[in-house]
Amino acid sequence: MGNSSDSSQYISTRGGISPVSFCDAVMMGLATDGGLLVPARFPKVEADTLDGWRRLGYPELAFEVMRPFVGDALPPETLRQLVQASYATFDTADVVPIKTLDGKDLYVAELYHGPTLAFKDVALQFLGNLFAEILRRRGGRLNILGATSGDTGSAAIHGVRGKAGIEIFILYPEGRVSPLQERQMATVPDPNVHCVAIEGTFDDGQRVMKQIFNDLPFKEKNHLGAVNSVNWARILAQVVYYFWGAFRVQELSGSDAPVQVCVPTGNFGDIFAGYVACRMGAPIARLLLATNENDILSRFFNTGTYAKGTVRPTLSPSMDIQVASNFERYLYYRLGEDAGRTKTLMESFEQTGTLSLDGTDGTFAAGRGDTAATLATIKKYYERHGVLLDPHGAVGVAVAEANPLAGCQTLCLETAHPGKFPAAVAQALGDGSPARHEALEKLKELPLRKVILPPTIPVIEDYIVKTLAGQA
Ligand SMILES: *Cc1c(COP(=O)(O)O)cnc(C)c1O
């Protein structure tokens, strides 16, 4: 194992902060110089340690993978308990079951066994427990404000519901998220959960949220914080299943060869966690990045140019992203950990919407799966192999089929339960589609708890203040 005092100290990709501890990095979210926080170095896992890790159950493995990144910021027993509590809410002891997809070279990692049936639970169940623990130690309160178009809001709510010292306010566009997504948020009965349906679009919600975060006196007075995808703890929790998945595929296939992992991508968070696992020494041969028609990332890996386009709505909405908020972390490593160049390139990207790099990185390959491929893949795997994919996972499987790696098995990450996207699955399979989940059916009977408000700063700020005062 490397020097854990380095791997548990966090610096900014733009070089403008002194190193901070794991807990400070978690509470900071975005680095105060506008960059993203990264560990000062990656711990290197030796071969005999890896062999020991193979035999661990998921929560034990999570503890071992995370420990060098936490260092002495938390006692080991505390970290162990946090991890155990976070994954006890999953509906299977394996947490992330790994299965064969076609009986041959393709495997699938079911990342959807958490409370909201999507992979964001893997990170947000842990982040919620971590926030509560840090507040318990340091005192103080945290009031989370987020704007969502669907998946992230419900995973964040389920991560912090009922936690002492935490309130959560989630803004979403009234009438513009699916009824199912709204129910996953607004049926949660815990009094620390506040769903705000705004009379406007997702962009209106985002705008109001950003403006409130920019109102620094308001933000500080009301202890506002975010749970966005750049929080280091979210990346860290995701590193675990890359080790887990590669071990299980090697076991199932009876081969020692390193594994290719195919990742359907939006904000580059999930696949950056895979990059960290590779740097640590996980038995992974290559990361295969999969995008839908919003292909800024697959274009980058195939041409070297990262150029912003306009967002096109697809059947895999959680990947309908043009500017990937975690891309800067990768850029920093690609530039040889040169914070000065990272800052210059990112600032110029913010002005021009484009940046170019020379050379390639053999750790990555990339491809794109469009709407036709998504639908055909859902149909094919259901009819031929009896496996029901969700549209995000299907993008990944389509790209995996087109990009085999000689001598390697491929593990495809399945990021959501198909029951969360019944309309897309029905479009692929026709009426009477089997895409349903009992937990989602049950929500239909529960009452909604929400307020409907216009997306203006004074109204939303006033609602936050009054709600917090009512609970003080
Ligand atoms: C968020 C999400 C993704 C994309 O994950 P990133 O970390 O943004 O790359 C893919 N699939 C589903 C179902 C998601 O909710």
Side-chain angles (χ1 to χ4, degrees), residues 1-10 20-26 38-45 53 62-74 79 126 130 232-233 235-237 239-240 243 272-273 275-277 279-281 333:
M1 186 110 335
N3 182 341
S4 71
S5 67
D6 284 340
S7 59
S8 64
Q9 292 292 308
Y10 293 82
V20 298
S21 73
F22 174 74
C23 292
D24 286 333
V26 171
V38 287
R41 57 174 278 178
F42 291 125
K44 187 90 190 118
V45 187
W53 284 10
F63 169 74
E64 295 296 340
V65 171
M66 290 182 188
R67 198 157 61 139
F69 293 99
V70 176
D72 53 16
L74 291 172
L79 177 63
F126 176 65
L130 189 59
W232 172 255
I235 304 288
L236 180 56
V239 175
V240 177
F243 280 96
F272 183 76
Y275 179 73
V276 175
R279 294 286 303 258
M280 290 173 73
Y333 290 101

Side-chain angles (χ1 to χ4, degrees), residues 20 36 352 362 373 410 463:
V20 298
L36 302 188
T352 62
T410 296
Y463 173 73

